[in-house]
Amino acid sequence: MLIFLVIAGCSTGNNTTASEDGKDKGTKKENTLIITRLSDAENLDHQFMSTINAASVTHSKIYEGLVGRDKNAEIQPLLAKEWRQIDDTTWEFTLRKDIKFHDGTDFTSEAVKATFDRLLDPNVGSPRAGVFKMVKEVKVVDDYTVQFFLTEPFSPLLSILASHEGGIISPKAIEKYGKEIINEPSGTGPFVFESWTPGQEIVFNKNKNYWGTEAKVDKVVFKVVPEETTRISMIETGEAHISEPLSVTMMETVDASSEAKVYRSEGFGTEYIGFNVQEEPFNDVRVRKAVSHAIEMDSIIDGVFNNVGKKANSLLGSKVFGFHEGLKPYEYNLNEAKRLLAEAGFPNGFEITLKTMDNKERINLAEVVQSQLKGIGIKVNIEVSEYGAFLDQINSGDSEMFILSWRNATGDADYNQYNLIHSDSQGASGNTFFYSNEEVDRLIEAARSEKNPGKRIELYAQAQQIQMEEAIYIPVRVIENVAAISESISGFSISPSGYLEINDVSIK
């Protein structure tokens, strides 16, 4: 008995080693993937997330949808093994069997219904509810068959079901949290939630009971490390494996490192300068056009971004369905800019605040815009905030002019146009321009229900042309996903939507 107690007392249950002086050397990390990030997730409930930054943590790791995308961004079966469209407004999905949520609950049609009932419940108040506003009812046919009844035809349904908003939540979590934000996410994915220390780190463990191919790492830690040089240093010293985002100013440093390399891939999204069109002086289209004419974008792409990410002509990346190749942004023309300002009653310019998050390229971009707008008499005050605080400000309309990006989770123009432009999406849903145009709304809605792909593209082209004529934003560049990764890992990628793909990552 005494021998047993001595042995038990020596075992901590943790994978640790001890030094000669008896002190713990720390938890063994050989198969723990460490990801350092600029900022934390705003929450871990994908029905309340408004950023890919947050969704990238949980999507396809904790939560999974009925369908997903492969490495070529093509829709593939996931929790649903097959589906069919019964008529214009009815879709039926046949679910996989023998899948369990992380809390042990069986995955069935009831879980699918509970997930979407919560998302669409006005008492819950999810800011993502508008994405699925066309869903009238989710009906359980049997344990493994579920039907979606829509209020109108909706062509991009599968693309949205494949995004983070389509992730299926454990009914137990829904029952526990109700209309409150879920703090302990439980899904069916290859990783299980362990802990979240806001502002510091999020920890997941491998789901050893995963229904699909198990993850190759045992644990993943998302660490918040605001200082980029520290993030890169952690890769070089072996303290981390992935650092994202990677600024263009640090790319050469990473390229020169023997321990790290640069990961690059083109995304669906774009970066842009936006106007709050309800705030003076930007409630005057002539002022917005003047500012658009006064910004020389070629020098910004070269000088600020070092030609990482090509110049954009709209809010849509060139790989997105609905991209309008022929759309022309405003040409650099100071004389026209000055004429428009004078016509709007500002011959001597004015003073405004440009808001941005604490990101190096965004700050550099803001400084160049500040310098360029001096040329037409506009004094620009730059206000830099931590990402969460910045997002709160622009979502609430506390802005005049801002720098932002939209990564487009689905690769379909609807996700971009409805969220960023439609009148119903003003605020946290994405329309931080607080723009409203009945004709544009009509075109976006018509494109949603149109089955013919060619006609959908034409409708989006018309909508984008009106948006450009009303100068509600200045397109900057198509986003390129850039990260620093350790030479010791393989299998990492970032999807065109901007989601970190880590299920196939292995550590040498």
Side-chain angles (χ1 to χ4, degrees):
M1 183 64 142
L2 179 61
I3 293 171
F4 172 79
L5 291 173
V6 170
I7 292 172
C10 291
S11 175
T12 64
N14 294 323
N15 192 2
T16 60
T17 56
S19 60
E20 290 182 357
D21 62 6
K23 292 183 179 180
D24 179 23
K25 285 184 179 180
T27 301
K28 189 176 181 181
K29 295 183 178 179
E30 281 81 349
N31 206 26
T32 297
L33 180 67
I34 308 294
I35 302 172
T36 58
R37 313 187 80 205
L38 169 65
S39 54
D40 203 358
E42 69 260 31
N43 65 68
L44 299 179
D45 185 335
H46 61 255
Q47 294 186 352
F48 283 84
M49 291 173 179
S50 56
T51 67
I52 295 293
N53 179 65
S56 189
V57 174
T58 56
H59 180 61
S60 77
K61 304 164 192 66
I62 297 292
Y63 294 121
E64 297 177 307
L66 297 178
V67 297
R69 289 185 182 274
D70 61 20
K71 293 190 181 300
N72 296 316
E74 297 295 328
I75 298 291
Q76 299 293 339
L78 197 56
L79 296 180
K81 61 182 181 180
E82 59 186 21
W83 58 88
R84 65 190 179 110
Q85 188 172 1
I86 296 174
D87 55 42
D88 283 353
T89 57
T90 309
W91 293 66
E92 183 175 272
F93 296 84
T94 303
L95 310 183
R96 295 184 190 272
K97 299 180 181 180
D98 302 322
I99 296 177
K100 289 185 180 294
F101 288 97
H102 300 155
D103 58 18
T105 307
D106 289 334
F107 166 70
T108 65
S109 298
E110 291 288 354
V112 177
K113 178 175 173 57
T115 293
F116 286 95
D117 284 354
R118 177 180 185 259
L119 174 63
L120 298 171
D121 185 349
N123 293 321
V124 173
S126 165
R128 308 313 302 150
V131 175
F132 283 103
K133 66 175 291 187
M134 78 300 299
V135 177
K136 178 172 63 177
E137 180 189 2
V138 175
K139 178 184 177 182
V140 172
V141 177
D142 58 41
D143 283 351
Y144 297 101
T145 308
V146 63
Q147 292 180 342
F148 282 66
F149 293 91
L150 312 184
T151 57
E152 58 191 7
F154 183 67
S155 294
L157 180 65
L158 293 177
S159 72
I160 299 206
L161 288 173
S163 72
H164 62 273
E165 289 98 341
I168 308 301
I169 309 170
S170 165
K172 279 188 180 179
I174 292 174
E175 184 178 356
K176 177 179 179 180
Y177 288 97
K179 64 182 181 181
E180 303 300 321
I181 291 177
I182 295 172
N183 293 317
E184 297 177 8
S186 179
T188 58
F191 290 96
V192 177
F193 174 79
E194 178 183 304
S195 64
W196 179 27
T197 307
Q200 295 183 40
E201 67 178 29
I202 300 168
V203 182
F204 297 158
N205 294 313
K206 178 167 74 171
N207 180 5
K208 295 181 180 178
N209 298 312
Y210 183 52
W211 63 273
T213 303
E214 283 190 17
K216 296 178 181 178
V217 296
D218 294 327
K219 185 186 289 283
V220 56
V221 181
F222 299 88
K223 285 185 175 291
V224 180
V225 182
E227 178 52 51
E228 185 172 33
T229 54
T230 304
R231 296 201 300 270
I232 302 305
S233 176
M234 289 175 71
I235 291 183
E236 293 177 333
T237 59
E239 297 173 83
H241 304 98
I242 300 166
S243 170
E244 63 89 28
L246 177 65
S247 69
V248 296
T249 56
M250 290 294 290
M251 288 177 68
E252 288 186 8
T253 300
V254 174
D255 273 330
S257 170
S258 60
E259 302 296 328
K261 58 186 175 183
V262 176
Y263 170 89
R264 297 174 65 173
S265 64
E266 184 176 332
F268 286 145
T270 58
E271 207 155 11
Y272 55 91
I273 300 165
F275 302 105
N276 183 338
V277 302
Q278 294 186 9
E279 290 292 317
E280 294 183 349
F282 297 122
N283 57 344
D284 190 323
V285 67
R286 294 169 296 185
V287 173
R288 302 195 299 267
K289 287 182 176 181
V291 173
S292 300
H293 277 303
I295 293 178
E296 206 287 289
M297 199 57 68
D298 288 331
S299 63
I300 287 173
I301 298 298
D302 182 33
V304 174
F305 297 106
N306 198 25
N307 295 305
V308 175
K310 58 190 177 185
K311 186 166 71 171
N313 71 342
S314 71
L315 295 176
L316 295 176
S318 58
K319 290 181 176 292
V320 176
F321 176 87
F323 171 68
H324 182 7
E325 187 175 0
L327 192 64
K328 302 294 183 185
Y330 290 87
E331 295 181 351
Y332 179 62
N333 188 329
L334 286 182
N335 290 332
E336 178 65 7
K338 290 176 181 177
R339 185 192 70 77
L340 286 165
L341 276 188
E343 185 180 306
F346 298 100
N348 300 314
F350 48 80
E351 183 174 346
I352 56 103
T353 298
L354 172 60
K355 295 189 174 185
T356 184
M357 64 177 286
D358 53 351
N359 167 284
K360 287 183 179 180
E361 285 99 350
R362 300 276 178 91
I363 295 170
N364 291 343
L365 172 57
E367 290 172 347
V368 173
V369 169
Q370 180 186 55
S371 175
Q372 291 187 352
L373 292 187
K374 281 182 182 178
I376 57 172
I378 297 177
K379 180 182 178 182
V380 177
N381 300 308
I382 300 171
E383 184 178 310
V384 180
S385 302
E386 178 273 329
Y387 184 64
F390 164 71
L391 205 60
D392 287 342
Q393 290 173 17
I394 64 167
N395 284 345
S396 65
D398 180 17
S399 63
E400 296 173 302
M401 190 173 171
F402 52 87
I403 300 172
L404 197 57
S405 63
W406 185 265
R407 288 186 173 269
N408 197 323
T410 67
D412 190 285
D414 177 76
Y415 192 87
N416 174 291
Q417 291 288 287
Y418 192 87
N419 285 285
L420 291 184
I421 303 297
H422 197 279
S423 301
D424 288 348
S425 300
Q426 290 183 12
S429 294
N431 183 353
T432 53
F433 313 112
F434 291 87
Y435 173 71
S436 181
N437 181 300
E438 289 184 2
E439 176 61 12
V440 171
D441 287 352
R442 186 194 68 79
L443 289 166
I444 292 172
E445 290 164 9
R448 292 188 125 190
S449 59
E450 177 57 59
K451 285 185 174 181
N452 184 297
K455 290 181 180 179
R456 288 191 72 212
I457 289 173
E458 177 56 34
L459 289 165
Y460 286 128
Q462 293 176 42
Q464 291 174 76
Q465 188 63 52
I466 296 172
Q467 294 158 36
M468 185 59 69
E469 289 169 0
E470 298 202 338
I472 62 175
Y473 64 88
I474 303 171
V476 178
R477 63 167 184 153
V478 176
I479 291 173
E480 191 168 326
N481 301 311
V482 185
I485 62 175
S486 169
E487 291 283 3
S488 67
I489 69 166
S490 60
F492 170 75
S493 64
I494 303 178
S495 74
S497 299
Y499 299 125
L500 302 184
E501 303 289 355
I502 62 171
N503 298 348
D504 294 327
V505 169
S506 59
I507 306 171
K508 298 175 186 176

